[in-house]
């Protein structure tokens, strides 16, 4: 008879050298593994995509199993900004300020058509994509996207987090990208 405990798998260890009583690997692999499984998201939800995110955090989909148990509502304690819903141009400076208050390393997930491209609201008052004011790492399509799509977006962020070089944030390319947005 198969028990629940026998169905639970252990996460894959990073590549390295293993012997009797020891395991050695590179520091960036260990840091990537730790970061990947301890993302603290900051939900910035303004409309219907926020409702789908609430379903994603619920018991049926359980985003907590991906290491995102603790939602942070303080930008200084978050490393993943999840922008969900329509962002008005008046809200743009607030969103940018929240992004700038986050400590490095930080990632951005744009959830839904409105956050990604303005959605059906092609008007003077709606920002036509948050990538006009802050850099975006992963886009989740849909209007609104299903919880499975949001989970897929978080898994793509986890892949980026795990495989990012520890020195990427100090690179000239990264600093040039931030300068393009006017962020120091």
């Amino acid at each position: 008879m198969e028990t629940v405990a026998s169905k639970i798998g252990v996460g894959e260890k990073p590549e390295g050298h293993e012997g009797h009583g020891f395991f050695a690997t590179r520091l960036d692999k260990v840091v990537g593994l730790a970061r990947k499984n301890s993302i603290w998201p900051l939900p910035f939800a303004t409309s219907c995509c926020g409702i789908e995110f609430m379903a994603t955090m619920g018991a049926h989909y359980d985003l907590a199993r991906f290491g995102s148990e603790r939602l942070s509502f303080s930008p200084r304690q978050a490393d993943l900004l999840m922008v969900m819903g329509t962002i008005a141009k008046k809200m743009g400076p607030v969103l940018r300020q929240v992004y700038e208050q986050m400590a490095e390393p930080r990632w951005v997930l744009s959830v839904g058509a409105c956050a990604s491209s303005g959605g059906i609201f092609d008007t003077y008052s709606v920002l036509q994509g948050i990538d006009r004011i802050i850099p975006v790492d992963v886009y989740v399509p849909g209007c609104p996207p299903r919880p499975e799509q949001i989970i897929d977006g978080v898994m793509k962020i986890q892949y980026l987090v795990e495989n990012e070089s520890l020195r990427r944030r100090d690179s000239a390319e990264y600093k040039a990208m931030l300068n393009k947005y006017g962020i120091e």
Side-chain angles (χ1 to χ4, degrees):
M1 179 174 181
E2 194 171 335
T3 65
V4 174
S6 65
K7 292 181 185 179
I8 296 173
V10 176
E12 292 186 30
K13 62 185 173 193
E15 57 191 48
H17 300 286
E18 188 171 5
H20 183 68
F22 79 94
F23 178 76
T25 188
R26 295 183 4 212
L27 177 64
D28 61 335
K29 295 293 183 186
V30 173
V31 170
L33 184 67
R35 281 182 181 170
K36 168 190 170 188
N37 294 307
S38 62
I39 294 175
W40 286 5
L42 177 123
F44 194 94
T46 60
S47 52
C48 40
C49 289
I51 303 300
E52 290 298 319
F53 176 68
M54 289 178 204
T56 306
M57 289 303 295
H60 186 73
Y61 295 100
D62 193 20
L63 193 62
R65 63 192 159 126
F66 296 96
S68 297
E69 176 72 44
R70 182 195 178 277
L71 293 180
S72 178
F73 294 99
S74 167
R76 291 177 178 88
Q77 296 176 353
D79 48 16
L80 172 63
L81 178 59
M82 299 178 73
V83 182
M84 300 166 268
T86 310
I87 303 298
K89 286 184 180 174
K90 281 186 170 183
M91 185 63 78
V94 174
L95 176 62
R96 184 182 172 108
Q97 182 180 14
V98 167
Y99 176 79
E100 288 175 347
Q101 288 177 349
M102 294 173 67
E104 289 282 359
R106 57 188 171 203
W107 297 273
V108 177
L109 181 67
S110 179
V111 178
C114 291
S116 299
S117 67
I120 60 170
F121 305 107
D122 189 10
T123 65
Y124 70 94
S125 63
V126 174
L127 189 64
Q128 300 299 304
I130 63 167
D131 56 359
R132 295 183 182 219
I133 57 171
I134 60 173
V136 175
D137 295 296
V138 174
Y139 295 89
V140 176
C143 184
R146 296 275 308 136
E148 295 90 354
Q149 290 172 275
I150 297 172
I151 289 173
D152 184 57
V154 169
M155 290 172 67
K156 286 183 169 118
I157 289 284
Q158 283 184 316
Y159 179 80
L160 289 174
V161 169
E162 182 178 27
N163 295 303
E164 181 179 86
S165 164
L166 294 178
R167 301 193 190 279
R168 174 182 174 252
R169 305 293 169 151
D170 297 326
S171 70
E173 295 87 16
Y174 186 75
K175 290 178 180 176
M177 188 260 313
L178 288 181
N179 283 337
K180 186 177 94 173
Y181 286 96
I183 299 170
E184 295 181 18

